[in-house]
Amino acid sequence: MTTATQFEHQQTKILANREPKSGALLLLESIAAQGVDTIFGYPGGAIMPVYDVLPKVGSLRHILCRHEQGCGMAAIGYARATGKTGTAFATSGPGATNLVTAIADAYLDSVPVVFVTGQVTSDLMGTDAFQEVDIFGITLPIVKHSYIARDPADIPGMVAEAYFIAAEGRPGPVLIDLPKDVANALTTERHKWRPYPKVKPEMGQSDYISKAEDLIKDSKKPLFYIGGGIAQGDGVKELRDLVNRTQIPVVSTLKGLGSLPTDHPQFLGMLGMHGLKAANYAVQECDLLIVAGARFDDRATGKLDTFAPNAKVIHMDIDIAEINKLRKTDVFLDGSLKKNLEALNPGEAKCEDWRRLCFSRREEYEWDYKSPIGNMKTGGVYAPKLLHDLSRRVEGSAIITCDVGQHQMWVAQHCYFDNPKDHITSGGLGTMGFGLPAGLGAKLGAPNRTVITVSGDGSIMMNIQELATLFRYDIPLKIVLLDNSALGMVRQWQEVFFEKNYSEVNLDDNPDFAMVAKAFQIEAFTITKGDEVDDGIERLLSATGPILMHVKIDTYENVWPLVPPGRSNADMMER
Amino acid sequence: MVELQRNKTFEPSGVQGKLKIVLHDVSGTLIRALGTIERRGYDYRDVHCTQRVDGDFDLLVHIEDTGGPSNLDTLCKQLERLYNVVSAEKVGRRKHAERA
Ligand SMILES: Cc1ncc(C[n+]2csc(CCOP(=O)(O)OP(=O)(O)O)c2C)c(N)n1
Ligand SMILES: [Mg+2]
């Protein structure tokens, strides 16, 4: 992220260069000056001036996805895999509205992405012109900040600030709406932009460290509840050190997975709706919850007033708006999570009995991958086992992106992670269609890593067109398509909560996905039996180009355990 | 009967309050602040906005909660998180009366 000095330096450089340039060129040069190397975009009328000068800015690689939503999600995948800010372009009107889901996804998962949309010319704005929508207004609730560029001379400062805001503090999406005439206009002016933006919230070491340490020392049943903030706040190492120092058990949200290696001795697993029993029971019984970079999301907490009912709460988050938002906090540590984790030093927690209880439960409820389960008994493919085997084969070396549904929960439950940035899942928005574009963005950002996308037969159809992007740029993404001929997660809910009243969840007329992939010139094959899994994984992993493994699985397999919505995490349902 | 889920977490219903918000003069400044108040579960009873000599805005809003988890401190922090918001604070009744 840009520091105050770098920001000043950029401003000075901007003001010094008075060559006549168009708004479009200023935009691209300013983006390149931020160190951006890859833009995911899709052209159209209002943004044509930008595409016209794109070839002039040699350091920018443009990836043409096949749908603006694909562009946006690829930029998110890129940002999450690299830790850098992503960039996506679209034209006005339908191009801009196609970006909206990606913007919301970035907002809810706190991903730094700068979105640039073309806009109709200034004199037409507000007249319901062709392809005019008020994208600034539409996206107000789902951006961290946004701009309408009114003057080309503002653009360099605006772009620098946009990238600063996207990455600073709790990251998020920033939108720049660029009217066509502003993009076309030549200017020798450069406006001095506002000063270095105020860092929000004010960073700073809290005085409450010692209060937190006292609570930990007094606790008999302490528990860490960690979330996506660990990865975003670059606190993985500090968390691991703290856990090793204190020996306190840990549960994680979906987005915190990998902050501790899955097999770490203190790790009890994911909590919440599809959490592991050992994790949910620990939360229910703990007397102190040490929350780090998590936000009491309802998927994690279940019925809020039954969540950790006997616990005091220490809450560490960079976003002070999270303090007391959903749960009263006893001690709040604001500012840098990394620094707070480092500063906290209560010594080894004295809670032997508690630890023993937690870890005996972890053993008791551990998955048994050896004995046949589900449709393995009849020779079929059991998806959790396949994911477990696949993930053990690539242990720690692969990035996994996924879509949304049962397969997403199986990835969270059965794959091994030892870096939270390797698990790229749409947590906050739960966006079907995320996996494939996020996977291609991640692979472009991290070309030396193996990147695997786990998708479902419903989800993949939402951005299937991005197979064309894989082919065009020869992006060696590995896709595992778990095909249960159903909108499985919805079907499971209808089975469990709506008395098997199956309504609009049947997808048994799916296309032949291997044939679809081949039509996009992507290598593909189908497996249907348990004894084909090993060879399938081998073929998937040894492919040098993009590849899709289509796996037929049982329609009626469910994700267990399951906490019914609105109920306490203690009320987990089982197979 | 299935009831509406109006989950009062820790403050009683009918939370009312007056907020003073200082805003930068940038695109969308008012809508962003007012929209945040509404989306976070409050209705306006009174909105008063004046531009100051330095170009910023003083926004006084009298609000009432709509049955969500109301917490005006959290709301102020959510407002302060916005980039065009300089500050947001509760204006106490007594203080207000004193000033009047
Ligand atoms: C864009 C979008 N539309 C609808 C939903 C609701 N939804 C959640 S999971 C799901 C089913 C997903 O089906 P599939 O991709 O086949 O995954 P499965 O559950 O079968 O593994 C649906 C429809 C959603 N999350 N996102
Ligand atoms: Mg499915």
Side-chain angles (χ1 to χ4, degrees):
Chain A
M1 200 189 72
T2 333
T3 62
T5 332
Q6 287 166 335
F7 194 79
E8 268 314 304
H9 182 67
Q10 284 174 8
Q11 297 286 311
T12 322
K13 249 173 94 178
I14 289 164
L15 291 172
N17 183 340
R18 297 300 173 107
E19 260 180 81
K21 284 182 182 169
S22 70
L25 188 58
L26 286 171
L27 174 88
L28 293 179
E29 288 184 350
S30 313
I31 288 175
Q34 293 298 316
V36 172
D37 54 16
T38 307
I39 293 169
F40 301 90
Y42 206 99
I47 201 167
M48 282 179 69
V50 174
Y51 278 84
D52 188 45
V53 289
L54 188 61
K56 286 194 190 166
V57 187
S59 65
L60 293 175
R61 164 175 67 161
H62 184 273
I63 303 295
L64 178 76
C65 294
R66 295 300 173 92
H67 188 300
E68 291 85 354
Q69 187 180 110
C71 301
M73 289 172 183
I76 293 173
Y78 177 90
R80 288 178 65 169
T82 59
K84 297 195 271 186
T85 296
T87 308
F89 284 3
T91 191
S92 68
T97 53
N98 275 348
L99 275 184
V100 169
T101 304
I103 298 175
D105 194 278
Y107 184 73
L108 283 176
D109 277 342
S110 311
V111 187
V113 180
V114 172
F115 294 91
V116 178
T117 48
Q119 184 52 280
V120 301
T121 55
S122 305
D123 58 334
L124 286 179
M125 281 174 77
T127 66
D128 307 316
F130 176 65
Q131 293 193 330
E132 182 193 5
V133 295
D134 172 15
I135 194 65
F136 181 85
I138 288 172
T139 56
L140 271 176
I142 50 169
V143 292
K144 194 170 168 194
H145 197 55
S146 48
Y147 308 86
I148 299 173
R150 305 269 184 195
D151 186 331
D154 284 336
I155 287 175
M158 183 180 283
V159 169
E161 190 180 73
Y163 279 85
F164 171 85
I165 290 176
E168 173 272 326
R170 179 175 182 169
V174 175
L175 174 92
I176 298 176
D177 197 27
L178 177 65
K180 192 173 183 178
D181 56 320
V182 180
N184 272 328
L186 282 178
T187 182
T188 54
E189 299 268 309
R190 306 289 185 270
H191 290 165
K192 179 146 179 57
W193 197 246
R194 290 190 288 276
Y196 183 64
K198 157 164 141 194
V199 175
K200 291 190 165 200
E202 298 295 346
M203 303 274 279
Q205 206 56 32
S206 154
D207 309 329
Y208 293 107
I209 292 282
S210 63
K211 284 193 189 153
E213 288 173 347
D214 289 345
L215 281 184
I216 296 173
K217 284 179 196 153
D218 289 345
S219 161
K220 300 205 162 39
K221 299 175 176 179
L223 184 70
F224 280 108
Y225 153 34
I226 62 167
I230 300 282
Q232 251 139 1
D234 193 22
V236 172
K237 181 186 172 298
E238 290 71 14
L239 173 82
R240 291 179 184 187
D241 289 348
L242 177 60
V243 171
N244 292 338
R245 285 201 295 277
T246 57
Q247 299 286 307
I248 292 173
V250 182
V251 301
S252 169
T253 66
L254 179 67
K255 284 189 60 205
L257 292 175
S259 303
L260 285 189
T262 306
D263 56 5
H264 189 282
Q266 311 302 332
F267 188 55
L268 300 178
M270 182 168 77
L271 83 166
M273 181 170 272
H274 290 294
L276 300 187
K277 277 183 143 180
N280 278 341
Y281 283 141
V283 175
Q284 289 316 106
E285 290 167 28
C286 68
D287 66 5
L288 176 67
L289 205 55
I290 311 161
V291 191
R295 59 184 175 94
F296 296 93
D297 176 79
D298 55 281
R299 280 291 184 271
T301 64
K303 191 168 163 29
L304 192 60
D305 52 16
T306 65
F307 181 71
N310 309 315
K312 294 199 166 151
V313 174
I314 300 170
H315 194 170
M316 298 182 238
D317 206 293
I318 193 160
D319 183 357
I320 49 168
E322 291 298 340
I323 181 177
N324 291 335
K325 185 179 86 178
L326 290 162
R327 170 78 181 239
K328 264 264 189 256
T329 302
D330 295 275
V331 176
F332 188 77
L333 302 178
D334 62 346
S336 152
L337 189 63
K338 186 183 174 81
K339 285 196 183 133
N340 284 324
L341 290 168
E342 207 170 18
L344 207 55
N345 208 343
E348 187 177 328
K350 291 179 191 65
C351 56
E352 244 343 283
D353 291 350
W354 169 241
R355 261 197 290 265
R356 214 171 298 123
L357 176 69
C358 289
F359 300 129
S360 67
R361 282 210 188 111
R362 187 180 64 182
E363 261 167 47
E364 185 183 343
Y365 300 124
E366 205 156 36
W367 297 100
D368 172 13
Y369 295 101
K370 298 214 171 70
S371 20
I373 177 170
N375 64 339
M376 279 162 86
K377 291 177 191 153
T378 49
V381 181
Y382 181 55
K385 162 106 168 94
L386 178 146
L387 290 171
H388 172 80
D389 292 353
L390 171 64
S391 131
R392 285 287 159 182
R393 274 291 310 276
V394 293
E395 200 140 312
S397 70
I399 294 174
I400 300 184
T401 77
C402 48
D403 258 300
V404 172
Q406 293 180 310
H407 61 279
Q408 176 191 31
M409 291 300 118
W410 286 326
V411 166
Q413 292 177 333
H414 302 282
C415 289
Y416 173 90
F417 292 103
D418 80 357
N419 180 349
K421 291 203 167 121
D422 290 352
H423 178 218
I424 302 182
T425 192
S426 171
L429 193 64
T431 316
M432 289 172 69
F434 176 81
L436 171 52
L440 79 85
K443 182 67 190 172
L444 286 169
N448 299 326
R449 305 284 308 278
T450 299
V451 182
I452 301 170
T453 291
V454 178
S455 187
D457 50 322
S459 295
I460 200 158
M461 289 291 265
M462 290 211 176
N463 274 317
I464 190 91
Q465 77 287 343
E466 298 312 330
L467 290 175
T469 314
L470 292 187
F471 174 69
R472 165 182 281 241
Y473 299 98
D474 193 19
I475 303 167
L477 180 68
K478 301 177 187 303
I479 304 169
V480 177
L481 174 56
L482 296 175
D483 174 6
N484 52 9
S485 304
L487 299 174
M489 186 58 97
V490 183
R491 191 209 56 75
Q492 173 172 352
W493 279 45
Q494 290 176 348
E495 175 186 331
V496 181
F497 305 124
F498 292 84
E499 293 158 353
K500 298 195 179 168
N501 183 24
Y502 295 126
S503 172
E504 303 295 334
V505 290
N506 181 335
L507 298 181
D508 66 7
D509 56 354
N510 271 326
D512 178 332
F513 286 108
M515 246 161 81
V516 170
K518 284 178 194 156
F520 281 98
Q521 308 187 63
I522 304 282
E523 181 184 353
F525 61 101
T526 300
I527 63 171
T528 57
K529 297 195 199 77
D531 59 14
E532 295 170 318
V533 169
D534 287 347
D535 288 349
I537 290 178
E538 191 53 49
R539 180 166 171 193
L540 183 84
L541 293 179
S542 55
T544 51
I547 182 165
L548 181 144
M549 174 165 81
H550 173 220
V551 188
K552 294 287 287 177
I553 59 169
D554 182 4
T555 302
Y556 293 96
E557 193 50 69
N558 284 334
V559 182
W560 302 113
L562 165 62
V563 177
R567 295 276 290 280
S568 157
N569 278 352
D571 302 336
M572 279 166 285
M573 297 169 68
E574 271 291 3
R575 174 185 288 277
Chain B
M1 200 183 75
V2 182
E3 287 181 1
L4 286 172
Q5 270 175 279
R6 294 216 166 144
N7 191 353
K8 287 280 178 290
T9 326
F10 30 82
E11 293 228 3
S13 59
V15 169
Q16 287 203 6
K18 203 156 195 167
L19 302 183
K20 185 184 168 190
I21 306 162
V22 180
L23 304 158
H24 273 316
D25 175 22
V26 297
S27 304
T29 190
L30 259 185
I31 316 179
R32 225 186 276 273
L34 292 177
T36 298
I37 293 172
E38 202 157 27
R39 280 190 298 278
R40 296 294 180 174
Y42 299 85
D43 281 337
Y44 321 113
R45 291 286 163 260
D46 189 30
V47 177
H48 192 75
C49 186
T50 42
Q51 191 163 26
R52 309 180 338 177
V53 275
D54 63 2
D56 284 352
F57 291 93
D58 277 338
L59 174 65
L60 273 174
V61 218
H62 190 163
I63 55 175
E64 191 172 324
D65 79 324
T66 53
S70 325
N71 181 339
L72 290 181
D73 291 327
T74 301
L75 177 63
C76 285
K77 287 178 192 123
Q78 282 159 341
L79 284 162
E80 285 197 329
R81 204 164 60 169
L82 300 174
Y83 264 84
N84 54 332
V85 170
V86 181
S87 62
E89 54 178 350
K90 285 190 286 188
V91 188
R93 280 204 175 168
R94 202 176 306 142
K95 220 165 147 190
H96 191 66
E98 276 167 14
R99 239 189 266 150

